[in-house]
Amino acid sequence: MILVMKKGATQEMVQRMVQRVESMGLKAHVIVGTELTVIAAIGDDRNVKKESFESCEEVERLVPILAPYKVASRETKPDATVVKVRDLVVGGGHIGVIAGPCSVESEEQIILAAKKVKEAGAKALRGGAYKPRTSPYAFQGMKEEGLKLLAAARDVTGLAVVTEVMTPHHVETVVKYADVLQVGARNMQNYHLLQAVGETRTPVLLKRGLSSTMEEFLLAAEYILDQGNQQVMLCERGIRTFETHTRFTLPLASVPYLKQKTHLPVVIDPSHGTGIASLVPPMCRAAVACGADGLIVEVHPDPKEAISDASQTISPEVFAEALVECRRVAHALGFTMD
Amino acid sequence: MILVMKKGATQEMVQRMVQRVESMGLKAHVIVGTELTVIAAIGDDRNVKKESFESCEEVERLVPILAPYKVASRETKPDATVVKVRDLVVGGGHIGVIAGPCSVESEEQIILAAKKVKEAGAKALRGGAYKPRTSPYAFQGMKEEGLKLLAAARDVTGLAVVTEVMTPHHVETVVKYADVLQVGARNMQNYHLLQAVGETRTPVLLKRGLSSTMEEFLLAAEYILDQGNQQVMLCERGIRTFETHTRFTLPLASVPYLKQKTHLPVVIDPSHGTGIASLVPPMCRAAVACGADGLIVEVHPDPKEAISDASQTISPEVFAEALVECRRVAHALGFTMD
Amino acid sequence: MILVMKKGATQEMVQRMVQRVESMGLKAHVIVGTELTVIAAIGDDRNVKKESFESCEEVERLVPILAPYKVASRETKPDATVVKVRDLVVGGGHIGVIAGPCSVESEEQIILAAKKVKEAGAKALRGGAYKPRTSPYAFQGMKEEGLKLLAAARDVTGLAVVTEVMTPHHVETVVKYADVLQVGARNMQNYHLLQAVGETRTPVLLKRGLSSTMEEFLLAAEYILDQGNQQVMLCERGIRTFETHTRFTLPLASVPYLKQKTHLPVVIDPSHGTGIASLVPPMCRAAVACGADGLIVEVHPDPKEAISDASQTISPEVFAEALVECRRVAHALGFTMD
Amino acid sequence: MILVMKKGATQEMVQRMVQRVESMGLKAHVIVGTELTVIAAIGDDRNVKKESFESCEEVERLVPILAPYKVASRETKPDATVVKVRDLVVGGGHIGVIAGPCSVESEEQIILAAKKVKEAGAKALRGGAYKPRTSPYAFQGMKEEGLKLLAAARDVTGLAVVTEVMTPHHVETVVKYADVLQVGARNMQNYHLLQAVGETRTPVLLKRGLSSTMEEFLLAAEYILDQGNQQVMLCERGIRTFETHTRFTLPLASVPYLKQKTHLPVVIDPSHGTGIASLVPPMCRAAVACGADGLIVEVHPDPKEAISDASQTISPEVFAEALVECRRVAHALGFTMD
């Protein structure tokens, strides 16, 4: 890190900071500029309580130099992580598609949805059994009953099951039915949950928090990796900005950015990312074009009847057509997409 | 709610929507405008799956009319809720002050901090035993050992203890030591946690999520109230915006806004709200001036040595001086502040 | 518009509002709900001083129903506007490419840049002669001398010239040299400038302000259209959000959204939209995939030596390769891109 | 500035950067860390084309160390600038109040407004003659006729006149009538306008752009100061964030932050900052409490009849009461406020 000293800091103040830096096992290097003096602290400072420097009066500000995440870093593991579970392959040039309704509503609905999305080309079925809802008065999901229906849909179609886990003590149950554990955006910094899914060996789809920075996102992944679970997919699902014409703002530049910084695959959720059904197909195509490793799309046999997220849900027919176009884009660019 | 029909919607389409509205137990009222037709749906639609209308092709958009929260609403309970625990009184014209270090670090530190903040006028001691940290490599708190030290500090000073609970299965333990359960910003939409603290009868300090809307904030409170725990304080701690000169942006207009909408008291956290120690005292004064019912401030006997949040932590001396000025402002405006 | 009355509004208050609505030439329709009363005001209220209702104590809030823009609306003109100037064709299924350096720096530089971008497939040359710069100490552009060099580059290559005009009294000069007048993001709401370019018959590239809503963007276009200049391209160049890993956040969902709402063509600027050279090619591909009508890209013969925007500028070689891939995507989806 | 080299940068690459730094008249200092190498470039780099380093492949990123503004800096001029014009005194412990309607509507309206706000304690009258409006269909102001009415109101009351100038060629006219030239938020980066008002010797009220950083704000002031006009007031009027319950988000921490960084006085606009009349008085009090040097408030003799900004406009009675409370706060804290 670099410490920028306040203008007018005396030599004595600088000396005191140097001692402080060195007391932490780092090497200090003083550079006297024409207006300001800076101290470069050399060494791995990831475990050093850096913040404490910012409360020293003589310090103007602290500039971190090293990225705070390690295991998720492309520098640590240059080759791409590929997540494989049943027929779903995400990463390493393979674009995997996950689709299904927002919520599991009934056996009939989830099995019909599974069949339809499989027909269109999806390799995994999404569906919420435990639903985090903004309002306590909204439908909270079918819970374990919903998990059983997802498993039944898997039995019928062979699709892998992706479903959300909301709290650590549900992990044990959800892991019995799910092929991929989804950690939702609201829980991206629910550290006990991250650790709990990290302790399993089931792949994880980690959604970006809606106001998380890329560093926070990668550090959340680091919590999971740190427990030994290496099968982590990062899911960009849109951020909260001043824009109101879409539900969230979908920053697709996250795709190439993340792929430069980390070896983990990147999945795009254009349904939450826009909140508007008619914007989902073009955003699917754009995601594929900029290198996304996967898509997760809300599809319901009859969107009008969906219990939740209806406005951003597309029909199986629209979904199938969108995938036809995505495949064309993928193949034009040399990606594999079945 | 109001349904705005698409331009060119036929009478038949309008009729179909009317039936749909009425099938939900609401009354429909059609208004034919010069360019567009709208349908007003009359009745309490809080439990109706409104979103499904947005996926109907013939609907341009849906405009909710009723606020989605009820129990937290000023309309439901016009008189202010006052939270009282030991000597801390928050609400109803009383400004209560909570202060202490970000983290409990040692017995000596927390007891010294408690004595100092009490001297300055605080009525409650804050201190983190379980710490949500962005990085898995950062200090994660002293856990139950930290809770015991907080209780010891209470024994010495009589201050109420405010401390964070991060996950539902900790509630049972934390509630044994704490006078107020803090739900952190990252957990504002951790619904299982909200329900768990709602099941206790210990007062709750609910921090606003850093990108939560006011509606989401009040609905999170509603989750707690809905379980029967009425002693909820809302804490504005700053939101994430494009601004980078401060750690977060502290929107003090939340204070008068919330006080119009809800009966719950509003507490301001100027430490997280700015992230810069020198901005904490002026923001304390501003909070009091616009009607805040309480303050929660990070104070450490020696800020430079603080393990976490050092850059936003003030010393007991600066804190004492800030409270002197806050009291002047409070008294000038007719508020009670000891 | 819909007026939502405050809870407890008396019949008399409602009556007063009805009169107010009708005094403005609108028809009022009262709907009494179970909790609240609303008044639907029927008629074209675009020229009515709607805001004044919001200051009436008895009104809780006002909900506009009609979009405030008219001429730019897809409803007014269902077929796509195509902007054609020299060989540049933007819109109607044709993807036009504009490229060149941030600033005109010298005759040699701009002519070399023009030749290189033409070779790669661009149909227009961008280059700033008048430069809006955040700091008064930064390079402010070559001004009219720069315009002459752009014209010289056009003579050599046949490329159309796209260049920024910053203030109304420059329009007369710039229009002599430019084929397309660019209105920069900082000037999107510089209404005198919008009117001045609207009075010309030279096509305009209007950049979205970095915190403008879609409504404000379309209303800015409306200022130009309203003066009789129909050749307006809308350029999404990224918005300011909490994200800091990219210079701005590029919300590509703007493309399909705008194309639903307006007949005007939409151009993407991935250079400003990301601020990072390595993210430009993937964002070009994504823009094409989601239906953009054009691209505007910063390309410099030697990016390291660029006077401004160096970090987001790509070399002619990288640009040529990016266009090869964009063409593949375009053709896979049935768009025309030379 | 500090250049952080990419991981794995060879000694030769480092050497090349050192030469580049030194060719710009700066001294280079190489620091080899355990993971990365950084180069500290020493000297005043404000006029150096720093950005070009970011396009060098071997550079990971560039960290500026010096603030880019100079004349506005507190370091350059430690004592506070006080703006005085007629009876308005802003800065140096004096809180000056500017009030009046959004738009000048008629002679009767503006003179009545002037009398009323003077009675309440305002020292200057605000009122828009040239109005920047989002929609081309909205009222655009009375123009020079409006300026004359403002001057008439000054003749009657002695209040200083504060009014907006929207474009450089209006400066000559506006300066004949105005005591303070207001540059609106939409024009904060209209550099030709900044220069034009900088060439006058009339005090300027510079409003913060709604998505401007503090650096951009101070650099905009620098454009004015750089032309020799030293009488600049900075006006915080709220920023655009994801919040929608208020029109903008008013970040009052700007007040103490700016006062640390610059000698220029800081004025708060709680009317635009909230957009809601009932939030204006508490925000006035908060602004005073955290050290604002001035207030600018929208007051209309009959807010319901205001042509523009009605929802955020308060009546003379509410305004008078708000100022009584502000004075109490000011005096409690030792500020002067008449």
Side-chain angles (χ1 to χ4, degrees), chain C residues 20 51-52 54-55 133 137 140 186 189-191 210-211 216 222-223 240 304 309-311, chain D residues 20 51-52 54-55 133 137 186 189-191 210-211 216 222-223 240 304 309-311:
Chain C
R20 198 175 167 97
E51 286 171 331
S52 69
E54 294 195 310
S55 68
R133 300 304 300 273
Y137 311 126
Q140 309 274 324
R186 292 176 180 87
Q189 295 190 312
N190 183 336
Y191 301 118
L210 49 90
S211 60
E216 290 167 348
E222 194 97 348
Y223 263 94
R240 189 160 269 175
K304 274 193 300 299
D309 277 355
S311 63
Chain D
R20 200 175 166 97
E51 285 171 330
S52 68
E54 293 194 310
S55 68
R133 301 303 301 273
Y137 310 126
R186 291 177 182 85
Q189 295 191 314
N190 182 335
Y191 301 118
L210 51 88
S211 61
E216 290 167 347
E222 195 97 348
Y223 263 95
R240 188 160 269 175
K304 274 194 300 300
D309 278 354
S311 62

Short mmCIF file of all heavy atoms in Angstrom, two decimals, chain C residues 20 51-52 54-55 133 137 140 186 189-191 210-211 216 222-223 240 304 309-311, chain D residues 20 51-52 54-55 133 137 186 189-191 210-211 216 222-223 240 304 309-311:
data_model
loop_
_atom_site.label_atom_id
_atom_site.label_comp_id
_atom_site.label_asym_id
_atom_site.label_seq_id
_atom_site.Cartn_x
_atom_site.Cartn_y
_atom_site.Cartn_z
N ARG C 20 -60.28 22.22 -9.96
CA ARG C 20 -58.96 22.63 -10.41
C ARG C 20 -58.58 21.89 -11.70
O ARG C 20 -58.06 22.49 -12.64
CB ARG C 20 -57.96 22.31 -9.30
CG ARG C 20 -56.66 23.04 -9.41
CD ARG C 20 -55.78 22.75 -8.20
NE ARG C 20 -54.45 23.21 -8.49
CZ ARG C 20 -53.96 24.37 -8.10
NH1 ARG C 20 -54.69 25.20 -7.39
NH2 ARG C 20 -52.73 24.73 -8.44
N GLU C 51 -47.21 20.04 -12.00
CA GLU C 51 -46.52 20.07 -10.72
C GLU C 51 -47.32 20.79 -9.64
O GLU C 51 -47.19 20.47 -8.47
CB GLU C 51 -45.18 20.78 -10.86
CG GLU C 51 -44.13 19.99 -11.57
CD GLU C 51 -42.93 20.86 -11.83
OE1 GLU C 51 -43.13 22.09 -11.97
OE2 GLU C 51 -41.82 20.34 -11.87
N SER C 52 -48.11 21.76 -10.06
CA SER C 52 -48.77 22.57 -9.06
C SER C 52 -49.69 21.71 -8.20
O SER C 52 -49.91 22.01 -7.03
CB SER C 52 -49.53 23.71 -9.72
OG SER C 52 -50.63 23.19 -10.44
N GLU C 54 -48.96 18.92 -6.96
CA GLU C 54 -48.19 18.27 -5.90
C GLU C 54 -48.02 19.16 -4.68
O GLU C 54 -47.62 18.70 -3.63
CB GLU C 54 -46.83 17.85 -6.44
CG GLU C 54 -46.98 16.77 -7.50
CD GLU C 54 -45.68 16.08 -7.78
OE1 GLU C 54 -44.69 16.77 -8.01
OE2 GLU C 54 -45.66 14.84 -7.78
N SER C 55 -48.28 20.45 -4.85
CA SER C 55 -48.14 21.31 -3.67
C SER C 55 -49.47 21.49 -2.95
O SER C 55 -49.54 22.20 -1.97
CB SER C 55 -47.57 22.66 -4.08
OG SER C 55 -48.54 23.33 -4.84
N ARG C 133 -13.27 19.79 -21.19
CA ARG C 133 -12.37 19.10 -20.28
C ARG C 133 -12.68 19.44 -18.84
O ARG C 133 -12.90 20.62 -18.51
CB ARG C 133 -10.91 19.47 -20.59
CG ARG C 133 -10.46 19.10 -22.01
CD ARG C 133 -10.67 17.63 -22.34
NE ARG C 133 -9.91 16.76 -21.46
CZ ARG C 133 -8.65 16.40 -21.68
NH1 ARG C 133 -8.02 16.81 -22.77
NH2 ARG C 133 -8.03 15.61 -20.83
N TYR C 137 -6.92 23.14 -16.76
CA TYR C 137 -5.50 23.01 -17.09
C TYR C 137 -5.25 21.96 -18.17
O TYR C 137 -4.13 21.76 -18.59
CB TYR C 137 -4.70 22.67 -15.82
CG TYR C 137 -5.03 23.59 -14.69
CD1 TYR C 137 -5.44 23.10 -13.44
CD2 TYR C 137 -4.98 24.98 -14.85
CE1 TYR C 137 -5.77 23.95 -12.41
CE2 TYR C 137 -5.33 25.84 -13.82
CZ TYR C 137 -5.72 25.32 -12.60
OH TYR C 137 -6.07 26.16 -11.59
N GLN C 140 -7.43 21.85 -24.44
CA GLN C 140 -8.80 22.24 -24.78
C GLN C 140 -9.14 22.07 -26.26
O GLN C 140 -10.20 22.50 -26.71
CB GLN C 140 -9.06 23.69 -24.34
CG GLN C 140 -8.69 24.01 -22.88
CD GLN C 140 -9.77 23.68 -21.86
OE1 GLN C 140 -10.95 23.85 -22.13
NE2 GLN C 140 -9.39 23.21 -20.68
N ARG C 186 -22.13 16.12 -21.35
CA ARG C 186 -22.24 17.24 -20.41
C ARG C 186 -23.23 18.29 -20.90
O ARG C 186 -23.68 19.13 -20.15
CB ARG C 186 -20.88 17.92 -20.24
CG ARG C 186 -19.82 17.09 -19.54
CD ARG C 186 -18.54 17.89 -19.57
NE ARG C 186 -17.41 17.23 -18.94
CZ ARG C 186 -16.60 16.38 -19.57
NH1 ARG C 186 -16.83 16.04 -20.83
NH2 ARG C 186 -15.56 15.86 -18.92
N GLN C 189 -28.38 18.63 -21.64
CA GLN C 189 -29.46 19.52 -21.22
C GLN C 189 -29.07 20.99 -21.37
O GLN C 189 -29.56 21.85 -20.64
CB GLN C 189 -29.92 19.18 -19.81
CG GLN C 189 -30.54 17.77 -19.75
CD GLN C 189 -31.23 17.49 -18.45
OE1 GLN C 189 -30.67 17.72 -17.38
NE2 GLN C 189 -32.45 16.98 -18.51
N ASN C 190 -28.17 21.25 -22.31
CA ASN C 190 -27.82 22.63 -22.66
C ASN C 190 -28.82 23.04 -23.74
O ASN C 190 -28.60 22.86 -24.93
CB ASN C 190 -26.38 22.64 -23.19
CG ASN C 190 -25.89 24.04 -23.52
OD1 ASN C 190 -26.69 24.94 -23.78
ND2 ASN C 190 -24.59 24.21 -23.51
N TYR C 191 -29.95 23.60 -23.30
CA TYR C 191 -31.09 23.73 -24.20
C TYR C 191 -30.85 24.71 -25.34
O TYR C 191 -31.36 24.53 -26.43
CB TYR C 191 -32.35 24.06 -23.40
CG TYR C 191 -32.63 23.00 -22.36
CD1 TYR C 191 -32.64 23.28 -21.01
CD2 TYR C 191 -32.83 21.67 -22.75
CE1 TYR C 191 -32.87 22.29 -20.07
CE2 TYR C 191 -33.06 20.68 -21.82
CZ TYR C 191 -33.07 20.98 -20.48
OH TYR C 191 -33.29 20.00 -19.56
N LEU C 210 -24.76 11.80 -18.32
CA LEU C 210 -24.31 10.64 -17.55
C LEU C 210 -25.19 10.33 -16.35
O LEU C 210 -24.99 9.32 -15.68
CB LEU C 210 -22.82 10.72 -17.21
CG LEU C 210 -22.26 11.98 -16.61
CD1 LEU C 210 -22.37 11.86 -15.11
CD2 LEU C 210 -20.82 12.11 -17.01
N SER C 211 -26.15 11.19 -16.07
CA SER C 211 -27.15 10.77 -15.08
C SER C 211 -28.55 11.09 -15.56
O SER C 211 -29.44 11.36 -14.76
CB SER C 211 -26.88 11.42 -13.73
OG SER C 211 -26.93 12.82 -13.85
N GLU C 216 -35.63 12.07 -19.90
CA GLU C 216 -34.87 13.30 -20.13
C GLU C 216 -34.11 13.23 -21.45
O GLU C 216 -33.98 14.23 -22.16
CB GLU C 216 -33.90 13.53 -18.97
CG GLU C 216 -34.60 13.89 -17.67
CD GLU C 216 -33.69 13.82 -16.46
OE1 GLU C 216 -32.57 13.26 -16.58
OE2 GLU C 216 -34.08 14.30 -15.38
N GLU C 222 -36.19 15.69 -28.31
CA GLU C 222 -37.40 16.42 -28.70
C GLU C 222 -37.11 17.91 -28.93
O GLU C 222 -37.69 18.53 -29.82
CB GLU C 222 -38.44 16.23 -27.58
CG GLU C 222 -39.83 16.61 -27.93
CD GLU C 222 -40.71 15.41 -28.37
OE1 GLU C 222 -40.19 14.31 -28.63
OE2 GLU C 222 -41.92 15.62 -28.48
N TYR C 223 -36.22 18.49 -28.14
CA TYR C 223 -35.82 19.88 -28.34
C TYR C 223 -35.25 20.08 -29.76
O TYR C 223 -35.52 21.08 -30.41
CB TYR C 223 -34.72 20.29 -27.35
CG TYR C 223 -35.21 21.02 -26.11
CD1 TYR C 223 -35.48 20.33 -24.93
CD2 TYR C 223 -35.36 22.41 -26.10
CE1 TYR C 223 -35.92 20.99 -23.79
CE2 TYR C 223 -35.78 23.08 -24.96
CZ TYR C 223 -36.06 22.38 -23.81
OH TYR C 223 -36.47 23.05 -22.69
N ARG C 240 -23.32 7.23 -14.79
CA ARG C 240 -22.53 7.25 -13.55
C ARG C 240 -23.28 6.48 -12.47
O ARG C 240 -24.42 6.80 -12.15
CB ARG C 240 -22.28 8.68 -13.12
CG ARG C 240 -21.29 8.75 -11.99
CD ARG C 240 -20.66 10.10 -11.86
NE ARG C 240 -19.44 10.21 -12.62
CZ ARG C 240 -18.73 11.33 -12.75
NH1 ARG C 240 -19.14 12.44 -12.18
NH2 ARG C 240 -17.61 11.34 -13.46
N LYS C 304 -0.90 4.98 -26.90
CA LYS C 304 -0.02 5.45 -25.81
C LYS C 304 0.27 6.93 -25.93
O LYS C 304 0.54 7.59 -24.95
CB LYS C 304 1.32 4.71 -25.87
CG LYS C 304 1.36 3.40 -25.14
CD LYS C 304 2.77 2.89 -24.96
CE LYS C 304 3.51 2.66 -26.24
NZ LYS C 304 2.89 1.66 -27.13
N ASP C 309 -8.01 10.70 -23.24
CA ASP C 309 -8.73 9.42 -23.25
C ASP C 309 -7.87 8.22 -23.63
O ASP C 309 -8.38 7.22 -24.16
CB ASP C 309 -9.92 9.49 -24.23
CG ASP C 309 -11.13 10.15 -23.58
OD1 ASP C 309 -11.08 10.46 -22.38
OD2 ASP C 309 -12.13 10.37 -24.29
N ALA C 310 -6.57 8.32 -23.37
CA ALA C 310 -5.67 7.25 -23.82
C ALA C 310 -6.08 5.89 -23.28
O ALA C 310 -6.03 4.89 -23.99
CB ALA C 310 -4.25 7.58 -23.40
N SER C 311 -6.53 5.85 -22.03
CA SER C 311 -6.76 4.54 -21.42
C SER C 311 -7.91 3.77 -22.06
O SER C 311 -8.04 2.57 -21.89
CB SER C 311 -7.02 4.69 -19.93
OG SER C 311 -8.18 5.44 -19.74
N ARG D 20 9.83 7.38 -19.78
CA ARG D 20 8.63 8.13 -20.16
C ARG D 20 8.29 9.18 -19.10
O ARG D 20 7.96 10.32 -19.41
CB ARG D 20 7.48 7.14 -20.29
CG ARG D 20 6.34 7.64 -21.11
CD ARG D 20 5.30 6.54 -21.27
NE ARG D 20 4.07 7.12 -21.78
CZ ARG D 20 3.73 7.14 -23.06
NH1 ARG D 20 4.50 6.56 -23.94
NH2 ARG D 20 2.61 7.74 -23.44
N GLU D 51 -3.07 10.58 -18.43
CA GLU D 51 -3.90 9.48 -18.92
C GLU D 51 -3.14 8.54 -19.85
O GLU D 51 -3.46 7.37 -19.95
CB GLU D 51 -5.08 10.03 -19.70
CG GLU D 51 -6.17 10.62 -18.84
CD GLU D 51 -7.18 11.34 -19.74
OE1 GLU D 51 -6.77 11.84 -20.80
OE2 GLU D 51 -8.35 11.41 -19.34
N SER D 52 -2.19 9.12 -20.56
CA SER D 52 -1.53 8.30 -21.58
C SER D 52 -0.85 7.10 -20.92
O SER D 52 -0.70 6.06 -21.55
CB SER D 52 -0.53 9.15 -22.36
OG SER D 52 0.54 9.53 -21.53
N GLU D 54 -2.09 5.21 -18.76
CA GLU D 54 -3.06 4.13 -18.56
C GLU D 54 -3.23 3.27 -19.79
O GLU D 54 -3.79 2.19 -19.72
CB GLU D 54 -4.41 4.73 -18.14
CG GLU D 54 -4.29 5.35 -16.77
CD GLU D 54 -5.64 5.64 -16.16
OE1 GLU D 54 -6.46 6.25 -16.85
OE2 GLU D 54 -5.85 5.25 -15.00
N SER D 55 -2.78 3.77 -20.93
CA SER D 55 -2.92 2.94 -22.13
C SER D 55 -1.67 2.12 -22.39
O SER D 55 -1.61 1.38 -23.36
CB SER D 55 -3.23 3.82 -23.33
OG SER D 55 -2.11 4.59 -23.62
N ARG D 133 -35.60 23.96 -18.86
CA ARG D 133 -36.69 23.01 -18.59
C ARG D 133 -36.45 21.70 -19.33
O ARG D 133 -36.11 21.72 -20.52
CB ARG D 133 -38.04 23.62 -19.01
CG ARG D 133 -38.37 24.93 -18.27
CD ARG D 133 -38.37 24.79 -16.74
NE ARG D 133 -39.31 23.81 -16.26
CZ ARG D 133 -40.59 24.09 -15.99
NH1 ARG D 133 -41.03 25.33 -16.12
NH2 ARG D 133 -41.40 23.14 -15.58
N TYR D 137 -41.83 21.67 -24.06
CA TYR D 137 -43.21 22.15 -23.99
C TYR D 137 -43.50 22.91 -22.68
O TYR D 137 -44.58 23.42 -22.49
CB TYR D 137 -44.18 20.97 -24.13
CG TYR D 137 -43.84 20.11 -25.33
CD1 TYR D 137 -43.64 18.74 -25.20
CD2 TYR D 137 -43.66 20.69 -26.60
CE1 TYR D 137 -43.29 17.97 -26.30
CE2 TYR D 137 -43.30 19.92 -27.69
CZ TYR D 137 -43.12 18.57 -27.55
OH TYR D 137 -42.76 17.81 -28.62
N ARG D 186 -27.38 21.78 -14.41
CA ARG D 186 -27.21 21.20 -15.75
C ARG D 186 -26.04 21.83 -16.49
O ARG D 186 -25.57 21.30 -17.48
CB ARG D 186 -28.48 21.44 -16.57
CG ARG D 186 -29.71 20.67 -16.12
CD ARG D 186 -30.85 21.10 -17.02
NE ARG D 186 -32.13 20.50 -16.72
CZ ARG D 186 -32.98 20.95 -15.81
NH1 ARG D 186 -32.66 22.01 -15.06
NH2 ARG D 186 -34.14 20.35 -15.63
N GLN D 189 -20.84 21.88 -16.04
CA GLN D 189 -19.69 21.61 -16.90
C GLN D 189 -19.86 22.23 -18.29
O GLN D 189 -19.32 21.74 -19.26
CB GLN D 189 -19.44 20.10 -16.97
CG GLN D 189 -19.03 19.55 -15.60
CD GLN D 189 -18.52 18.13 -15.67
OE1 GLN D 189 -19.14 17.28 -16.32
NE2 GLN D 189 -17.41 17.85 -15.02
N ASN D 190 -20.59 23.34 -18.33
CA ASN D 190 -20.71 24.12 -19.57
C ASN D 190 -19.55 25.11 -19.50
O ASN D 190 -19.66 26.21 -18.96
CB ASN D 190 -22.06 24.83 -19.57
CG ASN D 190 -22.30 25.62 -20.83
OD1 ASN D 190 -21.36 26.03 -21.51
ND2 ASN D 190 -23.57 25.84 -21.15
N TYR D 191 -18.42 24.69 -20.06
CA TYR D 191 -17.17 25.41 -19.79
C TYR D 191 -17.15 26.81 -20.38
O TYR D 191 -16.56 27.72 -19.81
CB TYR D 191 -15.98 24.58 -20.24
CG TYR D 191 -15.95 23.24 -19.52
CD1 TYR D 191 -16.04 22.05 -20.21
CD2 TYR D 191 -15.87 23.20 -18.13
CE1 TYR D 191 -16.06 20.83 -19.53
CE2 TYR D 191 -15.88 22.00 -17.45
CZ TYR D 191 -15.98 20.81 -18.15
OH TYR D 191 -16.00 19.63 -17.48
N LEU D 210 -25.71 17.25 -11.00
CA LEU D 210 -26.39 16.25 -10.19
C LEU D 210 -25.71 14.88 -10.19
O LEU D 210 -26.11 13.99 -9.44
CB LEU D 210 -27.89 16.17 -10.53
CG LEU D 210 -28.32 16.04 -11.96
CD1 LEU D 210 -28.37 14.57 -12.28
CD2 LEU D 210 -29.69 16.65 -12.09
N SER D 211 -24.67 14.75 -10.97
CA SER D 211 -23.85 13.55 -10.79
C SER D 211 -22.37 13.89 -10.79
O SER D 211 -21.55 13.10 -11.20
CB SER D 211 -24.17 12.50 -11.86
OG SER D 211 -23.89 13.02 -13.13
N GLU D 216 -14.82 17.27 -9.63
CA GLU D 216 -15.37 17.96 -10.80
C GLU D 216 -16.00 19.29 -10.40
O GLU D 216 -15.89 20.28 -11.13
CB GLU D 216 -16.41 17.07 -11.49
CG GLU D 216 -15.81 15.86 -12.17
CD GLU D 216 -16.83 14.80 -12.58
OE1 GLU D 216 -17.99 14.89 -12.12
OE2 GLU D 216 -16.46 13.89 -13.32
N GLU D 222 -12.88 26.20 -10.36
CA GLU D 222 -11.54 26.61 -10.81
C GLU D 222 -11.59 27.31 -12.17
O GLU D 222 -10.84 28.25 -12.42
CB GLU D 222 -10.66 25.35 -10.87
CG GLU D 222 -9.19 25.60 -10.97
CD GLU D 222 -8.46 25.54 -9.63
OE1 GLU D 222 -9.11 25.52 -8.56
OE2 GLU D 222 -7.23 25.54 -9.66
N TYR D 223 -12.48 26.86 -13.05
CA TYR D 223 -12.65 27.52 -14.35
C TYR D 223 -13.03 29.00 -14.15
O TYR D 223 -12.57 29.87 -14.87
CB TYR D 223 -13.77 26.85 -15.17
CG TYR D 223 -13.31 25.83 -16.20
CD1 TYR D 223 -13.28 24.48 -15.89
CD2 TYR D 223 -12.94 26.22 -17.49
CE1 TYR D 223 -12.88 23.54 -16.84
CE2 TYR D 223 -12.55 25.29 -18.44
CZ TYR D 223 -12.52 23.95 -18.12
OH TYR D 223 -12.12 23.03 -19.05
N ARG D 240 -28.15 12.76 -7.93
CA ARG D 240 -29.05 11.72 -8.41
C ARG D 240 -28.54 10.36 -7.94
O ARG D 240 -27.40 9.99 -8.23
CB ARG D 240 -29.14 11.77 -9.93
CG ARG D 240 -30.21 10.85 -10.45
CD ARG D 240 -30.66 11.22 -11.84
NE ARG D 240 -31.78 12.14 -11.82
CZ ARG D 240 -32.30 12.69 -12.91
NH1 ARG D 240 -31.78 12.45 -14.10
NH2 ARG D 240 -33.33 13.52 -12.82
N LYS D 304 -49.30 26.77 -4.37
CA LYS D 304 -50.20 26.00 -5.25
C LYS D 304 -50.26 26.59 -6.64
O LYS D 304 -50.57 25.91 -7.59
CB LYS D 304 -51.63 26.01 -4.67
CG LYS D 304 -51.90 24.94 -3.67
CD LYS D 304 -53.39 24.79 -3.40
CE LYS D 304 -54.01 26.05 -2.84
NZ LYS D 304 -53.40 26.47 -1.56
N ASP D 309 -41.85 23.94 -10.18
CA ASP D 309 -41.32 23.47 -8.89
C ASP D 309 -42.30 23.60 -7.74
O ASP D 309 -41.91 23.72 -6.57
CB ASP D 309 -40.04 24.24 -8.52
CG ASP D 309 -38.81 23.66 -9.22
OD1 ASP D 309 -38.96 22.62 -9.89
OD2 ASP D 309 -37.74 24.24 -9.08
N ALA D 310 -43.59 23.58 -8.03
CA ALA D 310 -44.58 23.81 -6.98
C ALA D 310 -44.43 22.84 -5.82
O ALA D 310 -44.56 23.22 -4.66
CB ALA D 310 -45.98 23.71 -7.57
N SER D 311 -44.13 21.60 -6.11
CA SER D 311 -44.15 20.59 -5.05
C SER D 311 -43.06 20.80 -4.01
O SER D 311 -43.13 20.27 -2.92
CB SER D 311 -44.03 19.19 -5.63
OG SER D 311 -42.80 19.08 -6.29
#
